[in-house]
Amino acid sequence: MRLNDVVSTLDALLEPWRYKDYAPNGLQVEGRAEVGWIVTGVTASQALIEAAAVRGADAILVHHGYFWKGEDASISGMKRQRIRSLLQHDISLLAYHLPLDGHAEWGNNASLGRMLGFEAQGQAGEQGLLWHGQWPEGGDAARLNQHVSSILGRSALLLGRTGKPVRRVAWCTGGAQGFFADAISLGVDAFITGEASEQNYHMAMESDVAFIAAGHHATERYGIQSLGEHLMKSTGIKVEFIDINNPV
C-alpha cells in the first residue's frame, strides 16, 4: 500500500481536523513510498525506532510523536538522533494525539473503558475527551483500584477514601489530572487517569470522589493497538505493536 494511501486512510478514520491539538497529526517524517509493515507503539522513542528498524518495518504509527507546540524547534540533540535514525532506515513516522484519545471505537478512552469493563454513557470536558459511565461490577474504591491495577499490570495510585462505594466512573487516559474537577461535577464516584498532581489528593478528600492514577503510558497502550488491529484487518498491511515499557 502506498504511504499516501495509508495516511489518507488514517486521516479518514481519526478525523484530526476535528481537534485543536498541540502537535501535527498524520505524517510527521516521510520514509519509503510503499508500506507493507507498520510497527505501532505509544511513543516514538529511540528504542521504538531501533526495534522497528531491526524488524524491517516501513513505518511507525504512534500516539506521541514529535514537534510539540512550545518546544525548541531546532533539530538537535535527542530529536536529531531520532529523526536521523528514521531517515537512515527510510522509515516513516505517523502520529495521532488527541484524535486517538477521542475516537469512539479505536481511541484510548474507548479502549481503556472496554479493558476495565466500563459501560460508557457519554463524553464531556474539553473536546469531549472526558468519558463517563457505569462500572457494572461495582465495589468500593479500594476494589476498583485493585481491579485497575490487575488489568493494567501495574500498581495504580489511589487518592481519597478507600471505602468509598463506586458505581459511576469517569476516565481519561494519559496526563488528564486537570480534568478531575470536571469529573467531580458529573457526580461520579471515581475518576481514573494516568498521572496525578499535588492538588488531586486534596480534591479527592474534600469532594469524596476517588482518584486513581494508573500511569500515563499504561493507560494509553490500548488505543494504538485497537487502531493497528483495525488497520491490519481493513488493509492487509502487517501491523505489530511493540510495548516499550515506561513506569510513568
Side-chain angles (χ1 to χ4, degrees), residues 168-240:
R168 296 193 63 209
V169 293
W171 67 97
C172 184
T173 65
Q177 61 268 50
F179 284 177
F180 191 23
D182 293 324
I184 292 169
S185 70
L186 292 173
V188 300
D189 305 307
F191 173 59
I192 300 97
T193 187
E195 299 183 28
S197 295
E198 186 272 345
Q199 65 268 23
N200 296 139
Y201 170 75
H202 302 291
M203 294 171 69
M205 296 302 294
E206 294 171 30
S207 67
D208 198 28
V209 175
F211 179 101
I212 294 175
H216 194 133
H217 175 87
T219 58
E220 295 196 323
R221 289 177 297 194
Y222 306 106
I224 198 70
Q225 292 183 66
S226 297
L227 178 62
E229 290 166 5
H230 172 76
L231 190 64
M232 184 162 54
K233 290 175 183 176
S234 62
T235 67
I237 293 175
K238 180 177 180 179
V239 180
E240 178 186 1

Side-chain angles (χ1 to χ4, degrees), residues 3 9 11 15 42-43 47 70 78 84 89 109 118 126 139 144 147 154 161 167 197 203-204 211 230 232 237 241 247:
L3 174 62
T9 298
D11 282 350
E15 301 178 322
V42 177
T43 299
M78 183 177 67
R84 180 173 180 267
H89 296 287
N109 289 320
F118 296 157
E126 181 184 349
L144 176 59
H147 172 65
R154 58 168 294 148
R161 185 163 60 89
R167 178 68 68 176
S197 295
M203 294 171 69
F211 179 101
H230 172 76
M232 184 162 54
I237 293 175
F241 173 72

Side-chain angles (χ1 to χ4, degrees), residues 106-118:
W106 302 296
N108 284 324
N109 289 320
S111 300
L112 181 65
R114 284 195 299 270
M115 289 291 298
L116 296 177
F118 296 157

Side-chain angles (χ1 to χ4, degrees), residues 3 29-41 47-61 85-94 237-242:
L3 174 62
V29 178
E30 183 178 356
R32 58 184 69 105
E34 294 292 331
V35 178
W37 189 349
I38 296 176
V39 159
T40 63
L48 183 65
I49 296 169
E50 291 172 0
V54 167
R55 286 161 172 78
D58 303 303
I60 297 172
L61 172 62
S85 296
L86 289 167
L87 296 175
Q88 272 187 329
H89 296 287
D90 207 14
I91 297 174
S92 297
L93 175 64
L94 299 92
I237 293 175
K238 180 177 180 179
V239 180
E240 178 186 1
F241 173 72
I242 299 178

Side-chain angles (χ1 to χ4, degrees), residues 147-177:
H147 172 65
V148 171
S149 299
S150 175
I151 295 296
L152 300 190
R154 58 168 294 148
S155 296
L157 171 68
L158 169 62
L159 304 177
R161 185 163 60 89
T162 59
K164 164 75 177 183
V166 175
R167 178 68 68 176
R168 296 193 63 209
V169 293
W171 67 97
C172 184
T173 65
Q177 61 268 50

